[in-house]
């Protein structure tokens, strides 16, 4: 059992998300940074889709009422147990009954992942434990909540660890494919897209990241069409919206770009004011 003493800024429970429900308008949700979440789970010999805590900006303070093992991945943080023992990143760590874990601030990166041996045993909703503002009763954990743990077997070797790859946290290059309406952009607009350095705005969240500066939009509106996590839409005002894991399933803004799977993980780790540049894959920039 885990008790939430302080929920942090925006801590939620996530697994790999909901599948097969997109046609019904249900967002996929799930880990914002799949790579980091799965590393944390695999280091504990959990299945890759196991539910864990996803922490944002300032992580939670949790009290453990039973012994277990934990593992962190994702953003660079300095978690401590009982205000004295530092918990390493990418290295399984033993927790005793009564221990208090403080995750703290994120120094580099936006999302950190706290995996627990066996996973968190919450009631699945539409075949997933992922919290989502538009789908589940709660979209983040709350103070004084208790969460049951699954019984996990600890089968890893002592001292196992994975080298922390800072690339996912520091890489400013976001690889994209041409979207459905990319063909309607003129050459000056295309060059502007890939020569600009963009900044992530504070209004970004699990639904979408808003970036600036704006680019001129002379495209005609489209009928509402399917969109996915990683779709970049161009709004009438010229803003670019990067859809993320909790995004809607359809939209009426032109879909000019689509992030690669790896790029979605990198994008998820961008804090407000982070700088990014887009790199086009698949077709030459001057193609019609």
């Amino acid at each position: 059992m885990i008790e939430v003493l302080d929920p942090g800024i925006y801590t939620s429970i996530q697994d790999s998300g909901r599948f097969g429900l997109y046609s019904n308008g249900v967002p996929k949700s799930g880990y914002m940074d799949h790579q980091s979440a799965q590393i944390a789970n695999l280091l504990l010999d959990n299945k890759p889709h196991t539910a864990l805590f996803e922490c944002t900006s300032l992580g939670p303070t949790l009290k453990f009422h039973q012994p277990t093992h934990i593992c962190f991945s994702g953003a660079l943080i300095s978690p401590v147990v009982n205000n004295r023992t530092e918990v390493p990143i990418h290295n399984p760590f033993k927790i005793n009954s009564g221990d208090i874990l403080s995750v703290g601030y994120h120094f580099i990166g936006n999302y950190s992942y706290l995996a627990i041996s066996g996973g968190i045993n919450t009631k699945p909703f539409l075949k997933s434990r992922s919290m989502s503002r538009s789908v589940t009763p709660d979209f983040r954990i709350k103070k004084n909540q208790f969460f049951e743990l699954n019984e996990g077997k600890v089968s890893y070797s002592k001292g196992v660890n994975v080298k922390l790859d800072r690339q996912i946290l520091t890489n400013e290059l976001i690889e994209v494919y041409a979207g459905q309406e990319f063909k309607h952009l003129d050459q000056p607009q295309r060059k502007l897209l890939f020569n600009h350095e963009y900044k992530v705005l504070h209004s970004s969240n699990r639904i979408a990241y808003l970036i600036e500066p704006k680019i001129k939009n002379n495209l005609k509106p489209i009928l509402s069409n399917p969109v996915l996590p990683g779709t970049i839409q161009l709004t009438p005002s010229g803003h670019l919206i990067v859809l993320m894991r909790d995004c809607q399933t359809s939209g009426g803004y032109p879909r000019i770009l689509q992030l690669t799977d790896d790029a979605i993980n990198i994008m998820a780790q961008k804090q407000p004011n982070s700088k990014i540049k887009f790199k086009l894959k698949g077709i030459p920039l001057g193609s019609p």
Side-chain angles (χ1 to χ4, degrees), residues 22-87:
Y22 225 61
S23 61
N24 296 322
V26 179
K28 182 180 178 183
S29 300
Y31 319 123
M32 284 285 279
D33 173 0
H34 275 237
Q35 177 180 311
S36 295
Q38 289 177 350
I39 286 173
N41 272 324
L42 290 172
L43 283 169
L44 290 176
D45 200 31
N46 291 342
K47 294 181 179 179
H49 60 265
T50 301
L52 44 60
F53 288 108
E54 180 179 85
C55 315
T56 311
S57 300
L58 173 64
T61 300
L62 307 171
K63 183 174 182 178
F64 288 78
H65 291 270
Q66 67 188 76
T68 189
H69 287 76
I70 64 172
C71 188
F72 281 99
S73 187
L76 185 60
I77 51 178
S78 294
V80 295
V81 170
N82 301 328
N83 290 322
R84 63 176 183 271
T85 305
E86 292 187 5
V87 180

Side-chain angles (χ1 to χ4, degrees), residues 10-215:
Y10 194 124
T11 305
S12 65
I13 293 172
Q14 299 293 332
D15 57 21
S16 56
R18 295 178 172 85
F19 298 90
L21 297 170
Y22 225 61
S23 61
N24 296 322
V26 179
K28 182 180 178 183
S29 300
Y31 319 123
M32 284 285 279
D33 173 0
H34 275 237
Q35 177 180 311
S36 295
Q38 289 177 350
I39 286 173
N41 272 324
L42 290 172
L43 283 169
L44 290 176
D45 200 31
N46 291 342
K47 294 181 179 179
H49 60 265
T50 301
L52 44 60
F53 288 108
E54 180 179 85
C55 315
T56 311
S57 300
L58 173 64
T61 300
L62 307 171
K63 183 174 182 178
F64 288 78
H65 291 270
Q66 67 188 76
T68 189
H69 287 76
I70 64 172
C71 188
F72 281 99
S73 187
L76 185 60
I77 51 178
S78 294
V80 295
V81 170
N82 301 328
N83 290 322
R84 63 176 183 271
T85 305
E86 292 187 5
V87 180
I89 309 299
H90 283 186
N91 201 333
F93 185 88
K94 184 178 180 181
I95 290 288
N96 297 310
S97 181
D99 280 350
I100 295 177
L101 172 68
S102 301
V103 177
Y105 285 97
H106 294 53
F107 303 110
I108 301 176
N110 205 31
Y111 289 95
S112 64
Y113 293 91
L114 168 58
I116 299 164
S117 183
I120 304 169
N121 187 19
T122 57
K123 184 178 179 180
F125 188 84
L126 297 178
K127 300 180 181 180
S128 170
R129 292 184 169 87
S130 287
M131 291 180 167
S132 174
R133 184 187 292 268
S134 60
V135 177
T136 57
D138 292 324
F139 61 91
R140 56 187 171 186
I141 67 173
K142 298 177 181 178
K143 185 176 181 179
N144 299 325
Q145 273 189 305
F146 286 82
F147 294 101
E148 293 183 356
L149 304 180
N150 290 314
E151 293 295 328
K153 62 176 184 178
V154 181
S155 60
Y156 54 81
S157 301
K158 289 185 177 180
V160 67
N161 65 80
V162 172
K163 184 178 179 181
L164 183 61
D165 182 5
R166 297 278 179 85
Q167 276 289 100
I168 199 168
L169 304 179
T170 60
N171 190 358
E172 296 182 354
L173 200 60
I174 305 295
E175 292 189 326
V176 296
Y177 296 106
Q180 291 294 316
E181 284 71 52
F182 179 83
K183 59 190 175 186
H184 300 307
L185 297 174
D186 59 31
Q187 288 302 322
Q189 286 174 312
R190 296 185 189 191
K191 289 181 179 179
L192 196 62
L193 265 178
F194 299 105
N195 290 333
H196 256 317
E197 183 178 69
Y198 292 90
K199 181 176 74 171
V200 177
L201 301 183
H202 283 269
S203 52
S204 302
N205 53 42
R206 282 187 53 89
I207 297 173
Y209 280 22
L210 191 66
I211 59 177
E212 62 177 15
K214 301 178 182 180
I215 68 169

